[in-house]
Structures are given as C-alpha cells and as structure tokens.
Amino acid sequence: SVSSPILEDFLFCVILVNVWEAISGQIRYSIPEEMQKGSIVGNIAKDLGLDIKDLSDRGVRIVGRGRTQYFTMNIKSGYLYPTERVDREQICGQLETCLLNFEIIVEDKMKVFGVEEDELEFRISESAAVGTRYSLEGAQDPDVGTNSVRAYYLSSNKHFSLDVQTGADGDKHAELVLEKSLDREEQAVHDLILTATDRGDPVRSGTAQIRVIVLDANDNAPVFSQPVYKVSVLENVPAGSLLLTVNATDPDEAINSEVTYSLRKMKDKASQIFQVDSKTGEISTVGNLDYEEAALYEMEVQAKDVGDLSARSKVLIAVIDANDNAPEITVTSAIKSVSEDSPPGTVIALINLYDRDSGENGEVTCSIPRNIPFWLQKSFDNYYSLVTDKPLDREQVLDYSVTVTATDRGTPPLSSITTILVQLSDINDNAPVFNQTSYTLYITENNPRGASVCSLKANDPDWKENARVTYSIIEEDRSEVPLSSSISINSETGALYTLRSFDYEQFREIRFQVQAQDGGSPPLSSNVSVTLFILDQNDNSPHILHPSFPTDGSTGVELAPRSSEPGYLVTKVVAVDADSGQNAWLSYQLLKATEPGLFSVGLHSGEIRTARYFLDKDALKQSLVVLVKDNGQPPLSATATVTVVVADNIPEILSDLSSLSAPVDPQSSLTLYLVIAVASVSCLFLTFLIVLVALRLRRWRNSQLFDSSSVTFSGVPVSQFVGLDGVRAFLHSYSHEVSLTTDSRKSQCIQSELNYSNTLTNGPINEKKEGLLIAENSKNNDGNYAFGQVSFL
C-alpha cells in the first residue's frame, strides 16, 4: 500500500523583492499492491485546494525519495498515477505497516508592489513561525540628503512589528516581523498602516495600507458536540439499524475543516457489531446484539481532519434485554434405574434451570405432567429435584418418560422441554400365576409311554431371574396312583408326559398338583390342581356270563316245552363289557340256528324266545349261536352257543335223547351228559309223583294255592344255574317251573316271577321255604349225575 505522501509548498524569490509564504499539509492515500500502471490514485489539485489552471503556473512538481520514482502527476488534470509496479514485499519486507513517502513542491511567484502604492497585501499562513520577516518595499522620496526618507512607523498591533535596517549606502530597509502567532480562527485579516517620514522641514510623510490576510493552516482539531454519547437499544434490532449520529466540527476552513469519523477502543466482538459512517458520523449495527453476551458497549469515536488532528468522544450503547432466549434445562444428575419398592420421596434426578434473559424474562417456572407418580421439589435457586410421590409397580409400568417443561415469564413466554427416562428395576414381588385356576386333561388309555399330555403355562410378571419359572409335580397323600411312575413334567416348559400306558379298567382318573416356582430370592410359588381323566378305548370284548361254559367243554342246555307258544322265554344270554360308554353298549343277534325262524333274540335284552309254535318235524335238539357285539369302533364281539331240548315230559325227553346223534358241532360233547340228565330227570319225576300224591292228600286245604300259583327258580343267582354244562331245564308240572342244576347239591323250586333284566343282579336271592322242592343228587365216580330224593319243605 501507499500511505502518507507529504505535501510541502515552498516559495522563493524570483525577482529582487519577494515575499516567501510557506504552506504545508499532509495527504494520505491507500492503494493495493500490484496496482496497474495508469490507475488513478487521487486528485492532488482537489486535495490541495488548488485551481487546476494554476498548476503549471505555480511550478508544481514531485520530488521522490530513493532511486525509483513510483508516481507522476498530470499537470492538466491534477490526478496522481503510478509509474511503476508497486511490490509491497520488495519495498517494506515483513513490516506490518508499509509507507511510501514523496514530496510535492509548489514554486509560486509573488507580485511586487511599489511604495507609492496605496495598499500592500500579504498572505501569511497562520502557522508561520514567530520571528518570520517579511520585506517591505521602501518608500520612494525624490529628495536627497536630509530631505530623503528618514524613518518608518507601523501602526500599533500585537502581532507585527517593524524592523528598519540602514544599509551601507544609508538607505533604509523596513521589514515586517511576526511577533505573535497568527490565528485565522480569531482574526482572519489584519489591517496595518505603514508610515514613512523624511528629514525635511517641514517633515513630510507617506502612508501605505498593509493588509495581512491570514491563510488557514490545519491548527485546530475537530470538536465533538458532546463529550459522551449515550443510547439504549433493544437486543433484537435487525442488523443495519441506525443507533445514533455523532457530530464533530473543525473551525478550520476548506479542506482543513473536513472531518472523518472512526471507532476506537472496541473489543473484537464489538468491532463485528458496530460501524460508523466516516463522513456522516452515523453509528449503526452490522451484526446482531445479544444482551446475554454484553449488556453495555463502551467505545470511543474519533473525529480527524486532513492534518491528522483529531478529537475523541465516548459512546455508551446500552442493550435492552428482550425475551429472545428460551430457558435451558440441565439434568445435572439422574439415577439410571429405581427399584419398584422405593418409598415415596425417593430422589430420581436433579434438574437445573437457566434463562439467559434478565428480569421477568429470566424468571422460570418448571412443571411435569400430573398423571405420573412423580413431582418436582424445589431445592435452591433454580435447582429442582424429581422425586416419587406414589408407590411404583414395574409390572404395571416398565418405565416412565417424564417430560419436564420450563417456561419463562417473558412476553410472549418462551419454553423448552426435556425428557427424563426413569426405568424401574424389578423385585420379586409376584408369584407365578397359571393361565387357569385348574386343569382338566384327557388321555386315551393304552397310550404309548412318553406321550405328551399337555403343556401347563404359568406367567410371572417380574423380570429376568424373578420371572424364570420352573415346574414340579406335587403328589397328594391320598393318591391311589403312584405319580412318580405315571406322570412327569418338564421343569422348564411345563410339558406333562406319561411314564406308563394307562388302563381305563384299572383307574379312570389321576389327581395331582403342579407347582410353579420363580427364580427370585426368596422364591415365590403357586400351585394348580390337575385332573387327568383316562378315556376309555374299545379294548375289551364282551364277556358271556350266562350261559357259562365249564372248563370240561360242555355246553349249556335249556329245556323248552313243545307246547310253548310264540314268545315263550327259553333263556337269556347275559354278557358284560369291561369298557364304558358306548364301548359297553351290547347288542345281541342270532348268528346261527338249527331251525332258522324258530327262535328270536332280543337286540338289547339277549332274551331267547320262541318265534312260532313247535312242529313235529322240528328237531328235539336245537343249537343256537348268539353273537354279542359292543358299540365300539371298531366293534368287538363274542359268541355264546345255547342248546335247547324240546320235550313236553321227561320220558319223552329220555326217549328222544336216546335217539339223538352226536352233535354236529365238533365243539359240543353233550351226548353223555344228556343221557345221564334224562335218566336222572325220569327217576326224579317218578319220585316226585309219588310224593306229590301223598302230600296232596295231606295238605288238601292248600290245594287251591298249589293250583293257582306257580313255582319258579328264577330267584336263584344266575351263577347257580350253571349245571350240566350250564343246563337249565324248565320242567312244567302242576303249573310249577322246576329248575334242575347239575353243579350244586340241591335243586330249588321257587314260585315263578317274571323278571327279565339285561344285566345280572348282585342282590340277595329271596328263597321261599314253602313250596320248595329239594332234590338231593350225587355225582358218580364217572362224572355223571344221579338224582335222589325229592321232597317239599
């Protein structure tokens, strides 16, 4: 850069009598380095206050320092131009301030005035030094000798004096001497009277008017209108806002009175916020104000003229706070997690509130939602404690997001929000709970070992180890089934498994308890009752109870009178099924018969009845195969073979039996037994007739009873009607039914009662002593039966 070129005006004598007048000044220019040749630096004529027309007349020229002449001036226009490339580093090196100095000399010619002239005019700079002499043109007196000029007198004044010198030739030379500094601002023009007298008689004199015009010099610094400028401004004013205008005046004139303004003693931050217009003195903002950073700015404004004379004034800018800052929320400390059994009043977090504003703008209130078990307790200053005010339960709420809101009292109010996450740590305060209050389970019998029955599930609302559930079986004291060998449970999953194959016919249900225990310390547990029902499976065939089949291979024989009417009850097939439900529902059907259509079997009763009258062609021995079938899926069945002997009386039976051929069925071996039975019945019948006649005479009074009533043997248990291969003979005599059995020591004659049942009765047999026929029989060594005495009791 080019800075501080010095301008000096110097006057010297061109003719015999000259007046020298010195004018000095300083001009400063700033240019960038590497400025192109021909670029305009400044207007010298305008900056010096010279008329462009006088530049050539006054001999203005540039005198540079050093070998290189960097600048030249156009005499016609007064502009200053660079003639060489200006390289800052070459001229100044590493100096922070780079100055390039040169002088401009103005050689000015003065006018010469004679004594006889009425007025002399001098232009003297107010900066002229005291003692400066200014030559006056001598007075001209045509007289000579004593009549010539003898003395000069100057009118009284406080700035100038007159010094008269006598030359060698006796001539008097007067000089105007500056005795006191001139001040244009006090007096711009001084009018003096110069008087010259001779020695003649009478004395003659001449006067000349001397006018001294005081040329302005830059000898006055600018003066501010106020020593301190104060202004208040809101911090939210936009950049570029005018704050105030400073004013400084310079009593000098022309260019010397021009003032430029600048700001001084500003901190770095303030220099980025404020600026002053160098010409007008307007101070405005270029950045944003912030009350919180600085509430008061203090600086100096400087007013300087062209001669580097300056003045300073203090500027105070007070920043008024505006509510432009929201409150700041700082969580200084917080607990990561709080135990759910923490008592009310437990401190969760410490909160600090801060608002950078002041006054009401900086007053902050704090709040949290009301529907949470917490409240804010003010500690001191702007510190608040977040504490619990109700019991906590992690199982109901795992964690809380507490929203803290801070609001100031500004207009409009500003607020800020922060969230504090409060996590609840678990304690073992909940026992496991089963999904059901009790379990009813079902499994089909004959299950494979290890079969899965069911999975029991218990939930524990606690966490981690406190929620880890293990399962175990509790065996009841009165349990009929050993659980340890029947049921097991997976301790982790609660799955129940069978350890054996169950049999519905052995036991139908298992009752036990399952315990669920958590992993807390101390552990908590709960029990649930479990009932395991064994479901029946059709795994049992019907069992024939009647007719029974002895181990010797004989078959049951039933007797039916030839005169039986259709529907006559011959016998009844009785069977049971160990299964239950529909698996035990039995049905009967005639699978095979000697004479189809002669007998029928009750579908559900098993009763074998005659379907029609017996014909002569019907065989004496009828073989019936009865199928007993259950209702299971698939159904199981059993068969019973019943042999029915058709005869009206015992001799007929004996004669018919004697002619019977061996049974067709290879499984039947009744021939021998039938022969013995017929012989025994014949003997018994003859004996019975004899005894009956004797007793009839004796018990005449009861004859009507015997005529109107009948005796039956149906009251005897079915198990007692298993005789000769289960033979049950129905003998009809005197309206009595006689049942003969070959597997007991006694036969019974009981009054007939029609009582048909699908199942056997386990009740006691009501034996009637009166009218009871007892027949003693004996068994021969060959296994055949013989009948003995028959008597009535």
Side-chain angles (χ1 to χ4, degrees):
S1 63
V2 175
S3 178
S4 302
I6 300 175
L7 173 65
E8 290 188 359
D9 291 345
F10 184 75
L11 301 178
F12 66 100
C13 181
V14 178
I15 58 176
L16 289 175
V17 180
N18 295 320
V19 176
W20 289 269
E21 184 176 15
I23 301 175
S24 65
Q26 187 180 58
I27 302 175
R28 183 185 299 266
Y29 296 104
S30 296
I31 65 170
E33 67 172 334
E34 306 294 342
M35 190 175 185
Q36 298 294 328
K37 293 181 181 180
S39 300
I40 297 175
V41 176
N43 192 319
I44 292 294
K46 182 179 179 181
D47 294 340
L48 291 177
L50 300 176
D51 191 349
I52 295 177
K53 298 179 181 180
D54 296 338
L55 291 179
S56 59
D57 296 338
R58 302 183 67 175
V60 178
R61 59 190 178 91
I62 294 176
V63 179
R65 298 178 184 179
R67 296 180 180 179
T68 304
Q69 185 71 28
Y70 288 98
F71 299 94
T72 185
M73 184 181 65
N74 189 323
I75 299 299
K76 295 181 179 181
S77 62
Y79 288 113
L80 187 67
Y81 299 97
T83 59
E84 298 290 338
R85 184 179 65 88
V86 179
D87 189 342
R88 186 185 189 281
E89 287 73 24
Q90 181 179 359
I91 297 172
C92 301
Q94 300 299 323
L95 294 177
E96 182 177 356
T97 303
C98 184
L99 300 176
L100 186 62
N101 299 320
F102 61 88
E103 292 82 31
I104 296 177
I105 298 176
V106 180
E107 300 173 352
D108 198 356
K109 296 181 179 179
M110 299 291 296
K111 291 182 179 181
V112 179
F113 299 93
V115 175
E116 63 272 16
E117 292 181 6
D118 294 335
E119 182 177 358
L120 297 177
E121 183 177 308
F122 289 92
R123 293 179 178 273
I124 302 175
S125 174
E126 63 177 332
S127 62
V130 175
T132 302
R133 295 174 178 271
Y134 299 92
S135 296
L136 299 175
E137 186 177 355
Q140 301 294 325
D141 193 338
D143 295 328
V144 295
T146 58
N147 294 326
S148 61
V149 177
R150 181 179 66 84
Y152 290 94
Y153 301 97
L154 186 64
S155 60
S156 177
N157 66 91
K158 58 181 180 180
H159 289 284
F160 295 96
S161 65
L162 189 63
D163 183 17
V164 180
Q165 300 288 336
T166 302
D169 56 357
D171 291 335
K172 303 290 185 179
H173 299 285
E175 292 179 336
L176 190 63
V177 179
L178 182 61
E179 297 292 340
K180 185 179 179 181
S181 297
L182 298 175
D183 189 349
R184 190 199 66 81
E185 287 72 32
E186 290 182 0
Q187 188 175 352
V189 177
H190 295 270
D191 289 322
L192 305 177
I193 297 176
L194 176 65
T195 302
T197 63
D198 58 14
R199 298 177 182 178
D201 183 20
V203 176
R204 293 186 180 274
S205 64
T207 61
Q209 183 75 27
I210 300 176
R211 169 163 284 194
V212 178
I213 299 175
V214 182
L215 300 177
D216 183 50
N218 192 27
D219 59 345
N220 289 281
V223 178
F224 280 98
S225 60
Q226 297 178 216
V228 178
Y229 290 89
K230 297 180 180 180
V231 66
S232 296
V233 59
L234 285 172
E235 63 174 329
N236 57 359
V237 296
S241 299
L242 176 63
L243 304 182
L244 75 159
T245 301
V246 297
N247 182 38
T249 57
D250 193 323
D252 294 326
E253 67 177 356
I255 192 172
N256 293 329
S257 65
E258 294 180 2
V259 176
T260 58
Y261 300 93
S262 62
L263 296 176
R264 298 173 56 84
K265 292 186 178 181
M266 289 193 303
K267 296 181 180 179
D268 293 340
K269 184 66 176 177
S271 63
Q272 300 174 8
I273 300 176
F274 303 101
Q275 70 174 3
V276 63
D277 189 294
S278 61
K279 298 297 183 181
T280 63
E282 295 178 346
I283 298 177
S284 59
T285 60
V286 294
N288 295 321
L289 297 174
D290 192 346
Y291 175 85
E292 290 68 38
E293 292 185 0
L296 178 66
Y297 291 93
E298 183 176 346
M299 65 194 75
E300 286 185 351
V301 60
Q302 176 180 271
K304 185 174 68 171
D305 59 19
V306 294
D308 285 339
L309 296 180
S310 62
R312 298 179 182 177
S313 179
K314 182 179 293 187
V315 177
L316 298 177
I317 301 176
V319 181
I320 301 174
D321 182 43
N323 192 28
D324 59 343
N325 290 281
E328 298 176 4
I329 304 174
T330 304
V331 181
T332 57
S333 63
I335 301 175
K336 292 184 178 179
S337 62
V338 59
S339 178
E340 63 176 325
D341 63 345
S342 299
T346 302
V347 178
I348 305 300
L350 187 62
I351 303 169
N352 175 250
L353 305 180
Y354 175 67
D355 195 316
R356 300 177 62 192
D357 296 323
S358 62
E360 288 189 352
N361 296 331
E363 296 179 5
V364 183
T365 58
C366 190
S367 63
I368 60 174
R370 296 182 179 180
N371 58 345
I372 57 176
F374 303 95
W375 68 292
L376 289 172
Q377 180 181 8
K378 189 169 184 178
S379 301
F380 58 93
D381 293 340
N382 287 329
Y383 282 89
Y384 289 82
S385 296
L386 180 65
V387 298
T388 60
D389 68 340
K390 294 179 182 178
L392 305 175
D393 190 349
R394 195 201 68 86
E395 287 68 44
Q396 293 184 0
V397 181
L398 294 177
D399 52 47
Y400 292 90
S401 293
V402 181
T403 301
V404 180
T405 304
T407 306
D408 61 25
R409 298 181 61 188
T411 303
L414 300 178
S415 62
S416 58
I417 295 174
T418 190
T419 300
I420 300 175
L421 179 62
V422 181
Q423 294 181 336
L424 303 185
S425 59
D426 184 52
I427 63 169
N428 193 28
D429 57 345
N430 291 279
V433 178
F434 284 94
N435 294 342
Q436 300 177 213
T437 57
S438 63
Y439 288 86
T440 301
L441 310 178
Y442 301 90
I443 187 171
T444 306
E445 64 174 334
N446 302 318
N447 58 283
R449 293 182 180 180
S452 175
V453 179
C454 178
S455 288
L456 278 63
K457 181 65 176 178
N459 297 312
D460 194 320
D462 293 325
W463 195 43
K464 289 187 176 180
E465 285 298 315
N466 295 334
R468 185 176 60 85
V469 179
T470 57
Y471 303 88
S472 61
I473 294 178
I474 301 177
E475 188 170 353
E476 297 181 351
D477 297 338
R478 298 182 180 180
S479 178
E480 298 179 356
V481 181
L483 293 179
S484 59
S485 61
S486 301
I487 295 291
S488 69
I489 190 170
N490 187 308
S491 61
E492 297 296 331
T493 63
L496 285 172
Y497 298 94
T498 61
L499 297 178
R500 56 179 292 186
S501 179
F502 297 120
D503 189 351
Y504 175 83
E505 287 70 37
Q506 289 184 0
F507 49 85
R508 301 187 177 185
E509 65 181 42
I510 303 175
R511 296 181 182 271
F512 57 94
Q513 286 190 333
V514 174
Q515 182 183 76
Q517 180 175 290
D518 60 27
S521 179
L524 300 177
S525 62
S526 61
N527 299 339
V528 67
S529 297
V530 180
T531 301
L532 176 60
F533 287 98
I534 313 299
L535 299 180
D536 182 46
Q537 195 176 42
N538 193 27
D539 59 343
N540 290 280
S541 300
H543 177 66
I544 307 297
L545 297 180
H546 178 76
S548 61
F549 303 98
T551 58
D552 57 3
S554 60
T555 60
V557 176
E558 300 293 340
L559 300 179
R562 186 175 291 274
S563 60
S564 299
E565 296 180 354
Y568 174 79
L569 178 62
V570 178
T571 186
K572 179 178 182 179
V573 178
V574 179
V576 294
D577 196 316
D579 296 323
S580 65
Q582 65 178 8
N583 294 331
W585 296 351
L586 301 180
S587 60
Y588 304 84
Q589 66 184 64
L590 186 60
L591 186 63
K592 183 179 180 182
T594 304
E595 294 288 341
L598 180 58
F599 297 95
S600 65
V601 178
L603 179 62
H604 299 295
S605 64
E607 295 175 347
I608 300 176
R609 296 178 181 270
T610 58
R612 60 178 175 82
Y613 290 102
F614 288 105
L615 303 176
D616 293 339
K617 65 177 182 177
D618 293 333
L620 173 64
K621 176 185 175 183
Q622 298 287 332
S623 179
L624 306 177
V625 179
V626 179
L627 176 67
V628 183
K629 182 174 66 174
D630 60 24
N631 198 35
Q633 291 296 331
L636 301 178
S637 63
T639 59
T641 302
V642 179
T643 300
V644 179
V645 178
V646 181
D648 287 332
N649 51 55
I650 293 177
E652 184 181 354
I653 294 175
L654 292 176
S655 62
D656 291 340
L657 287 178
S658 61
S659 62
L660 289 175
S661 61
V664 179
D665 190 352
Q667 297 180 354
S668 300
S669 58
L670 299 178
T671 304
L672 179 61
Y673 297 102
L674 289 175
V675 172
I676 297 174
V678 172
S680 299
V681 172
S682 298
C683 295
L684 180 61
F685 183 70
L686 293 174
T687 306
F688 174 73
L689 291 177
I690 297 172
V691 175
L692 182 60
V693 172
L695 292 176
R696 190 173 183 83
L697 295 175
R698 184 179 175 181
R699 302 181 62 180
W700 180 258
R701 294 181 181 180
N702 295 328
S703 61
Q704 293 181 350
L705 177 62
F706 286 100
D707 292 338
S708 61
S709 62
S710 63
V711 179
T712 181
F713 296 89
S714 62
V716 181
V718 176
S719 60
Q720 300 298 321
F721 291 138
V722 181
L724 181 59
D725 281 342
V727 175
R728 182 181 182 186
F730 291 87
L731 301 177
H732 297 271
S733 175
Y734 301 98
S735 300
H736 287 75
E737 293 182 359
V738 179
S739 297
L740 301 179
T741 63
T742 60
D743 62 343
S744 66
R745 303 296 297 177
K746 297 180 179 180
S747 296
Q748 299 177 347
C749 180
I750 306 174
Q751 184 176 358
S752 176
E753 295 181 2
L754 296 177
N755 183 17
Y756 303 113
S757 175
N758 291 339
T759 58
L760 293 178
T761 178
N762 294 328
I765 302 173
N766 297 324
E767 297 183 357
K768 296 185 179 180
K769 294 182 180 180
E770 185 175 0
L772 182 61
L773 175 64
I774 299 176
E776 293 185 359
N777 54 3
S778 62
K779 186 176 183 181
N780 297 330
N781 294 331
D782 56 0
N784 297 324
Y785 285 83
F787 290 87
Q789 182 180 0
V790 179
S791 62
F792 284 100
L793 298 181

